């Protein structure tokens, strides 16, 4: 075996970050070693996560640091740490649009990007993929559906794939009568039937904004037209994605719903190694699939609308959803108004093409302002 892979974990205190550290512990220090970790505000949890890796550099991106061990602070500090830490692989488990520039820094440093932060691809997918090509490195998706498509893509080659199918659990309200959606509480929306994840993505799973973001992510990652990306509701979350090859056959990737599988595969890529997690016994399992209902999940259709409108609208879709979900979590907006805020923001004029990261960030800021104004109009 060669030298251990040098890994940075951004968002190390979150759901993805914690599981990435479990994977790294299971792989062992001869296979992979942690060179950098970040958190946003939770310095205590960051230091706890770093205890097993005394040589790792640390960044706290959103609060003042108190401990000497934390060498970097602020959003710029996080980017600087990524640039300097010399990682071979950067696992980006930062939540939200703040994950974009750390992803760019990782690629520019020449590291491979193990990407959970889907906002990176939604906001600036084509710029990021160009940057990776220029730097001669790769973006390896961690998002389970995309990790599944990626594995199938690697085996068949893009030319043999006709269609991608992303599965969706259907979220917390897949069986709830739609006429009762007006009374949905934050607590109800933050309980996921199959996965344990951060609060934002759990609410996005209920509304299917998460699947909308993932459709955009798939279009950017795999360079396919939006109409070649389909979504099916699959309540058991065992089949993570399928591809249809040109002969019409469907191939599925199947495992327990456990993010540690795609995290490990992204860290060890291109080699496939024994994995301590997620092995599924199919005997007795029931696997169901159905079309998503439009009325239950209006945010899914809005994601396709954003894709048809162009790159600026995709940034706006993400920004508006972040603002709307934040307003819902602080009870300034009702659940049913989340898609209404996004729809109102998408009705604005957004640039079709974004040529620089500064343009991306400017649209993000403008869309957030528009969403705040829209959300005020819908106050419960
Ligand atoms: P969590 O909320 O659990 O964790 C977020 C992490 O990012 C924490 O370490 C947090 O630090 C840090 N963070 C929060 N805000 C910022 C910021 N503005 N700048 C830098 N760091 C920040 O999120 P998840 O782990 O659930 O999700 C992370 C990303 O992965 C998201 O993009 C999500 O869509 C994606 N993803 C997650 C999956 C999952 O299973 N959880 C599955 C597929 C994709 P602190 O603790 O200090 O607040
Ligand atoms: Mg996913």
């Amino acid at each position: 075996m060669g030298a251990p892979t040098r890994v940075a974990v951004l968002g190390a205190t979150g759901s993805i970050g914690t599981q990435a550290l479990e994977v790294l512990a299971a792989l062992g220090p001869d296979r992979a070693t942690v060179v950098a970790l970040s958190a946003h505000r939770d310095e205590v949890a960051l230091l706890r996560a770093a205890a097993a890796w005394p040589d790792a550099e640390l960044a706290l991106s959103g609060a003042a640091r108190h401990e000497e061990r934390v060498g970097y602070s602020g959003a710029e500090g996080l980017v600087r740490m990524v640039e300097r830490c010399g990682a071979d692989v950067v696992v980006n488990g930062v939540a939200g649009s703040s994950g974009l520039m750390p992803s760019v820094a990782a690629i520019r440093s020449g590291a491979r990007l193990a990407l959970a932060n889907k906002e990176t691809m939604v906001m600036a997918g084509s710029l990021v993929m160009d940057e990776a090509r220029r730097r001669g490195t790769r973006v390896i998706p961690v998002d389970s559906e995309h990790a599944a498509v990626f594995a199938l893509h690697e085996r068949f080659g893009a030319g043999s794939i006709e269609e991608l199918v992303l599965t969706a659990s259907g979220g917390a309200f897949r069986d709830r009568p739609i006429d009762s959606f007006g009374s949905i509480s934050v607590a109800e929306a933050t309980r996921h039937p199959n996965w344990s994840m951060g609060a934002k993505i759990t609410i996005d799973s209920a509304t299917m904004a998460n699947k909308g973001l993932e459709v955009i992510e798939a279009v950017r990652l795999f360079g396919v037209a939006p109409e070649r990306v389909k979504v099916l509701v699959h309540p058991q979350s065992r089949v993570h994605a399928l591809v249809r090859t040109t002969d019409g056959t469907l191939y599925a990737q199947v495992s327990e719903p456990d993010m540690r599988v795609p995290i490990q595969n992204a860290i060890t890529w291109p080699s496939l190694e024994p994995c301590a997690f997620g092995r599924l016994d199919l005997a007795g399992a029931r696997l169901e699939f159905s079309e998503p209902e439009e009325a239950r999940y209006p945010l899914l259709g809005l994601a396709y609308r954003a894709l048809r409108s162009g790159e600026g609208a995709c940034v706006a879709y993400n920004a508006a959803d972040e603002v709307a979900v934040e307003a819902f979590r602080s009870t300034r907006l009702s659940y049913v108004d989340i898609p209404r805020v996004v729809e109102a923001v998408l009705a604005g004029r957004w640039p079709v093409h974004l040529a620089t990261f500064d343009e991306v960030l400017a649209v993000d800021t403008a869309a957030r302002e528009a969403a705040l104004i829209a959300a005020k109009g819908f106050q419960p």
Side-chain angles (χ1 to χ4, degrees), residues 70 101 121 148 157 270 274 335:
V70 181
M101 293 322 285
M121 278 295 138
Y335 181 86

Side-chain angles (χ1 to χ4, degrees), residues 10-19 38-43 45-46 60-62 75 78 92-99 102 115-120 142-145 195-202 204 210 213-214 217 258-259 263 329:
L10 314 184
T13 50
S15 159
I16 289 289
T18 307
Q19 295 180 86
S38 86
H40 197 51
R41 296 181 180 281
D42 195 342
E43 190 175 35
L46 176 64
L60 197 62
S61 50
L78 172 56
N92 187 346
V94 166
S97 53
S98 307
L115 186 62
N117 180 265
K118 58 193 77 185
E119 293 83 357
T120 294
V142 167
D143 207 349
S144 55
E145 300 76 2
W195 299 89
S196 158
M197 311 182 286
K200 160 72 167 48
I201 183 174
T202 303
D204 280 351
N210 182 50
L213 293 169
E214 291 184 354
E217 182 185 10
D258 189 325
M259 288 308 295
I263 291 170
R329 287 176 71 187

